Amino acid sequence: MSSIIIINGSPRKDGNTAKMCRAFAEGVKSQLQDATVETVNLYDFDFKGCRSCFACKLKGTNSYGHCSVKDSIMPV
């Protein structure tokens, strides 16, 4: 069983990118009947994006390689 996650990063929730994501999901489902396809719309999350704090770049810290800002996009 295949699992596909589509991430839509467009600032317009129902714009052309959303249409493309839906078409891609339908195409996958038509070819792989047992596949699960989930679309994640970043528009639905409350986040500010990178703040250039560089905490993710500090070797030897807990945040090395990971964003230190805790917001609603963390699970994604």
Side-chain angles (χ1 to χ4, degrees), residues 37-57:
V37 181
E38 178 184 356
T39 301
V40 175
N41 293 298
L42 298 185
Y43 181 91
D44 295 332
F45 292 86
D46 181 28
F47 70 99
K48 305 293 184 234
C50 182
R51 297 180 183 170
S52 297
C53 68
F54 296 104
C56 62
K57 308 277 187 210

Side-chain angles (χ1 to χ4, degrees), residues 57-73:
K57 308 277 187 210
L58 298 173
K59 291 183 180 179
T61 64
N62 289 339
S63 62
Y64 180 67
H66 304 283
C67 185
S68 66
V69 176
K70 306 297 184 234
D71 56 20
S72 67
I73 205 166

